[in-house]
Amino acid sequence: FYSWENFLENDTVEMYLTFFVKEGTMYQKFEEEHIERAYKEQEIEEALLASGLKVLEKYDGYSKSEVTENSERIMYVVKKGEK
């Protein structure tokens, strides 16, 4: 099992994870820290276009649901543009 804490400040998300992995009758604890930069949807799409990529689809997180204003992550399906 694990615990997960997130903190958002400006455009930076800090994530602190603590894992407990069962080994026989005992658990081993290990921790991870991840820092991610959050980008606005428009920034990502402009960067993709500038890189010659075309957005085919975009989804809310790891689902096939539509993106909403409450989406925490957006997954893009892109295709290399025509030359």
Side-chain angles (χ1 to χ4, degrees), residues 17-31:
L17 297 95
T18 304
F19 297 89
F20 296 89
V21 178
K22 190 169 185 178
E23 293 182 356
T25 59
M26 301 184 72
Y27 287 86
Q28 178 180 348
K29 175 183 173 182
F30 66 96
E31 299 176 314

Side-chain angles (χ1 to χ4, degrees), residues 41 45 58-61 67-68 71-76:
E41 189 174 352
E45 292 178 17
K58 55 186 177 179
Y59 300 107
D60 179 10
V67 173
T68 69
S71 296
E72 293 183 6
R73 288 187 185 269
I74 299 174
M75 303 302 287
Y76 288 88

Side-chain angles (χ1 to χ4, degrees), residues 1 4-5 21 31 35 51 56 59 65-66 76-77 80:
F1 62 96
W4 182 331
E5 294 181 78
V21 178
E31 299 176 314
I35 299 174
S51 298
L56 301 178
Y59 300 107
S65 300
E66 288 186 25
Y76 288 88
V77 177
K80 189 174 180 178

Side-chain angles (χ1 to χ4, degrees), residues 1 6 18 21 24 34 43 48 53-54 62 71 73 76 81:
F1 62 96
N6 290 340
T18 304
V21 178
H34 299 261
E43 290 178 285
L48 290 169
L53 299 170
K54 178 182 178 182
Y62 299 101
S71 296
R73 288 187 185 269
Y76 288 88

